[in-house]
Amino acid sequence: MNTTFTLPSLREIEQSEKAQSAMRVLGFLLLIAAVYFLASGECFAADQVTNDFDGIWKRLQDWTQGSLGKSISLLFLLIGLAAGLLRGSIVSCVVCLGAALALATVPSIINSIFTGTI
């Protein structure tokens, strides 16, 4: 039994990488188009003011900026310190500190974004 195995040429590899790159770009563009078409109806209906979710937003904001959020932030920091000591690296502590900061500041940032006027 005589089996021959040939490796693809460099040109074939480059062409397949170009095709993969083009497919990624096409997929990204299709995703953007799908989001645009799915959200466009919601954009046109945005002139109707409804406050259906104000209670939920207020409750989540109170939780994250109140004692629950501070407790979770402290737990993030303690877990990060413990993981950093066990691994001998401060990277996990920094990641948990970033998560704690995000928990404390993101609600006000989101509120600033959505209450901006044109």
Side-chain angles (χ1 to χ4, degrees):
M1 187 154 121
N2 194 1
T3 305
T4 307
F5 179 73
T6 59
L7 294 173
S9 68
L10 185 59
R11 175 174 277 175
E12 292 172 344
I13 292 173
E14 289 176 355
Q15 288 175 349
S16 66
E17 288 176 358
K18 287 179 184 178
Q20 288 175 355
S21 177
M23 290 301 289
R24 283 189 204 121
V25 170
L26 180 63
F28 180 73
L29 291 175
L30 287 174
L31 178 67
I32 290 175
V35 168
Y36 174 75
F37 287 120
L38 290 174
S40 63
E42 299 297 323
C43 292
F44 293 120
D47 60 348
Q48 300 173 357
V49 178
T50 59
N51 298 328
D52 295 337
F53 297 104
D54 282 348
I56 296 171
W57 171 250
K58 180 71 174 144
R59 177 175 284 177
L60 289 174
Q61 191 174 16
D62 289 343
W63 283 352
T64 57
Q65 293 179 342
S67 58
L68 178 65
K70 290 176 187 174
S71 300
I72 292 173
S73 296
L74 184 62
L75 283 174
F76 274 142
L77 182 62
L78 292 175
I79 290 170
L81 285 172
L85 288 174
L86 290 174
R87 291 184 181 175
S89 172
I90 198 161
V91 173
S92 59
C93 178
V94 172
V95 170
C96 287
L97 184 63
L101 286 172
L103 180 69
T105 59
V106 166
S108 61
I109 293 171
I110 291 174
N111 199 19
S112 300
I113 290 171
F114 287 107
T115 57
T117 57
I118 296 177

